[in-house]
Amino acid sequence: MLNTFQFQQSVHDVPQTKRGHERCVALLESATELFLSRGYDAVSLDDIVNHAGGSKASIYKFFGNKDGLFKAICDYRRIQFFKDISRTCDQNSMDLRTNLITTLLNFYEHIQKPENASFMKLIMEQGQRNPDIARHIHENGPLKIQQVVADSLKQAHENGLLFCENPIYSAQLYFGILRNLEWRIIIGVPLDQNDQEVLNYVNYAVDRFLDGHQKR
């Protein structure tokens, strides 16, 4: 469940009480369920309120409108995504290679879940419909996770563990390792690889990534 600080990034009027907090989460979760089952355009604010309880006034108060609600859902799920891909990562106890491999495997496990893949499709549809939503999702999703990896690569560069003159470019390259698998999952093309083959591929790709960041 989101804490108040996290809500400040997602809502117009931050809930001040436990009940308000729970009402916010209920609206986010109900709207997500309806959007995934029916599609964004087929769901009205009345549908969301009937499913979650409460009133449309709560939606206007917390999120402004339907698009604002969708942005908040994206933020809500982004926080869970960060938790999923970092849940077994501890940079203080892992070497860089292990951390890079574990992050990608957690990413792969996250996008394999049917609900997450379906939501990614929904994001793509709404991003095409509304450039403001697309910009919000990009700035608060891919750019943020790329920055986290870039910061890690910059620190490794400063510590002499690798040579990385442009950490942002390298972070983009790093996430490209999973791009083919990610797209196959999103568009529904069955994967040719089993889990062991994916593990072998990620290990191989990270090793080549690190090879490319050795000072010549």
Side-chain angles (χ1 to χ4, degrees), residues 40-215:
Y40 182 87
D41 292 333
V43 176
S44 68
L45 295 185
D46 285 327
D47 292 330
I48 295 168
V49 168
N50 290 337
H51 191 272
S55 67
K56 282 197 291 187
S58 294
I59 294 179
Y60 295 130
K61 175 182 179 182
F62 292 135
F63 310 109
N65 54 30
K66 187 177 174 183
D67 282 350
L69 174 60
F70 186 73
K71 288 180 183 178
I73 291 170
C74 292
D75 291 341
Y76 180 65
R77 296 182 69 88
R78 170 179 53 81
I79 292 166
Q80 184 57 53
F81 170 74
F82 273 92
K83 288 180 180 178
D84 282 353
I85 69 168
S86 64
R87 68 186 186 279
T88 56
C89 294
D90 180 357
Q91 294 186 358
N92 294 323
S93 62
M94 285 186 179
D95 61 52
L96 178 64
R97 178 181 181 274
T98 300
N99 190 41
L100 292 173
I101 290 171
T102 302
T103 297
L104 288 180
L105 292 176
N106 288 347
F107 191 148
Y108 172 69
E109 183 180 338
H110 176 92
I111 62 177
Q112 267 197 306
K113 297 176 182 177
E115 180 179 318
N116 293 334
S118 296
F119 192 78
M120 291 173 73
K121 294 178 186 177
L122 183 63
I123 284 177
M124 293 172 65
E125 293 170 0
Q126 296 314 305
Q128 291 177 337
R129 178 187 65 84
N130 187 324
D132 182 55
I133 285 179
R135 189 179 305 107
H136 178 86
I137 292 169
H138 180 63
E139 291 176 353
N140 292 281
L143 285 185
K144 282 186 180 283
I145 185 63
Q146 286 173 14
Q147 188 61 57
V148 170
V149 173
D151 290 343
S152 178
L153 294 173
K154 180 181 178 181
Q155 182 178 351
H157 173 82
E158 292 172 349
N159 292 338
L161 299 177
L162 50 74
F163 183 72
C164 185
E165 291 181 300
N166 196 315
I168 288 292
Y169 286 178
S170 292
Q172 294 171 356
L173 180 65
Y174 166 73
F175 280 110
I177 290 172
L178 285 186
R179 194 68 65 227
N180 178 55
L181 294 175
E182 182 181 4
W183 274 105
R184 289 176 72 102
I185 291 170
I186 291 174
I187 65 177
V189 176
L191 297 179
D192 300 326
Q193 303 96 325
N194 58 37
D195 287 346
Q196 183 59 52
E197 288 170 330
V198 171
L199 175 61
N200 293 342
Y201 163 68
V202 169
N203 275 270
Y204 173 85
V206 168
D207 283 340
R208 301 293 73 76
F209 176 81
L210 291 173
D211 287 345
H213 286 82
Q214 299 302 311
K215 195 165 185 176

Side-chain angles (χ1 to χ4, degrees), residues 7-58:
F7 264 132
Q8 288 175 341
Q9 305 173 48
S10 306
V11 302
H12 288 199
D13 189 347
V14 178
Q16 302 299 318
T17 65
K18 180 180 179 182
R19 182 171 181 175
H21 186 283
E22 292 172 347
R23 171 57 42 211
C24 238
V25 172
L27 289 168
L28 292 171
E29 293 180 342
S30 291
T32 301
E33 182 179 341
L34 293 175
F35 290 156
L36 290 176
S37 62
R38 301 183 193 176
Y40 182 87
D41 292 333
V43 176
S44 68
L45 295 185
D46 285 327
D47 292 330
I48 295 168
V49 168
N50 290 337
H51 191 272
S55 67
K56 282 197 291 187
S58 294

